[in-house]
Amino acid sequence: MNARVAVVTGGASGIGLAVAQRLARDGVRVAVTDLNGEAARAAAEKITAEGGTAAGIELDVGDRAAVERGFDEVRRQLGPVAILVNSAGKEGYRRFLNISVEAWEQLLRINLTGTFHCCQVAVPDMIEARWGRIVNISSSSALGGQPFMTHYVASKAGVIGLTKALALELGPEGITVNTIPPGFIDTPMLRRSEERGLLGDSVDHHASQTPVRRPGRPEDIAATAAFLVSDEAGYITGQVIAVSGGRNT
Ligand SMILES: NC(=O)c1ccc[n+]([C@@H]2O[C@H](COP(=O)([O-])OP(=O)(O)OC[C@H]3O[C@@H](n4cnc5c(N)ncnc54)[C@H](O)[C@@H]3O)[C@@H](O)[C@H]2O)c1
């Protein structure tokens, strides 16, 4: 019962799911939160069946009231939040001149404001404990730029800025804040983009152009996140730790 509690947003799929599974294996009590409540609960049940402790909670990160309700539910079921991994996100592909104001605002609301909401709602528990770990999943596209993704790239660049500023403010409280910008990780998001012909080429072709010659695996991100939320990583904060096989480096 003394194990720390982690909230993973977007925990029902891809990177978030791998992070939730990995943290549970490391002995952390995990709240798998996602817009897709059914998938979040199924993921939590699977983690529990494998010997971990998890709760599945439906939560739209872009809706402040839902975030507050969801985190209260986490506290009720598992305890105060010590670790937050913000993985919930939505991709967007459109020529710049065709990005509607609505599409711009939607991506900013989910990817950037969603990260803001979850950090602001989780941080009081961490301040109280004088210990906390936040890992924000940004994107390697925010480091190198990406055509036809201006709204997405801007939202993820915002996540990098948020991470750096928050790290400076929360360092004295015993809380670290870092960001992992993934590059080309084989998840349902990436495969959806491939199927819709939005990658310009196949995943296999892109992998052949990647310095390490393979797509990333969600477990690659999970391993890095697991380190960043550990006690051992307490002197690392405000950092951009790319896990991208050398892409956009
Ligand atoms: N896969 C990649 O190559 C890649 C590269 C760079 C960045 N990323 C980022 O990594 C994160 C995870 O992506 P993934 O590839 O695992 O995608 P994914 O689509 O497999 O998983 C994303 C999860 O987020 C959830 N989600 C979406 N909107 C939400 C909302 N408003 N509230 C709560 N949950 C919501 C979805 O339901 C889904 O379960 C995203 O932020 C994405 O932008 C991924």
Side-chain angles (χ1 to χ4, degrees), residues 13 15 34-35 59-61 87 138 152 156 185 187 192:
S13 176
I15 291 169
D34 203 282
L35 190 59
L59 183 161
D60 177 354
V61 296
S87 187
S138 49
Y152 177 82
K156 293 296 189 174
I185 310 298
T187 66
R192 275 195 308 272

Side-chain angles (χ1 to χ4, degrees), residues 64-246:
R64 179 57 176 244
V67 171
E68 287 177 0
R69 274 197 310 275
F71 277 64
D72 279 345
E73 186 59 24
V74 173
R75 293 183 186 103
R76 204 182 59 73
Q77 291 194 34
L78 300 175
V81 180
I83 296 166
L84 170 65
V85 179
N86 283 303
S87 187
K90 188 173 158 49
E91 75 277 48
Y93 298 85
R94 202 155 289 185
R95 283 183 188 282
F96 178 65
L97 291 179
N98 295 337
I99 296 174
S100 64
V101 173
E102 290 72 25
W104 172 269
E105 287 180 343
Q106 191 203 34
L107 277 201
L108 269 287
R109 184 178 66 80
I110 296 170
N111 295 348
L112 180 55
T113 310
T115 302
F116 162 76
H117 288 322
C118 293
C119 289
Q120 209 173 48
V121 172
V123 159
D125 287 4
M126 301 179 187
I127 291 177
E128 172 84 24
R130 296 206 60 76
W131 192 96
R133 297 281 186 268
I134 299 174
V135 176
N136 296 321
I137 305 300
S138 49
S139 171
S140 66
S141 65
L143 304 177
Q146 191 70 35
F148 314 122
M149 296 187 85
T150 311
H151 45 351
Y152 177 82
V153 171
S155 72
K156 293 296 189 174
V159 169
I160 293 173
L162 181 156
T163 300
K164 286 186 166 285
L166 195 57
L168 301 185
E169 193 167 325
L170 296 182
E173 309 286 349
I175 302 166
T176 67
V177 191
N178 292 289
T179 180
I180 302 174
F184 218 69
I185 310 298
D186 198 348
T187 66
M189 182 188 278
L190 187 74
R191 292 294 173 177
R192 275 195 308 272
S193 301
E194 181 187 42
E195 268 167 32
R196 292 164 62 204
L198 295 169
L199 299 181
D201 223 315
S202 67
V203 167
D204 284 350
H205 173 78
H206 283 290
S208 74
Q209 307 294 306
T210 299
V212 304
R213 297 289 189 273
R214 67 166 174 86
R217 293 187 273 266
E219 293 74 19
D220 293 317
I221 308 294
T224 308
F227 171 63
L228 289 173
V229 306
S230 70
D231 280 311
E232 280 180 315
Y235 205 53
I236 303 173
T237 197
Q239 298 306 302
V240 182
I241 314 279
V243 182
S244 59

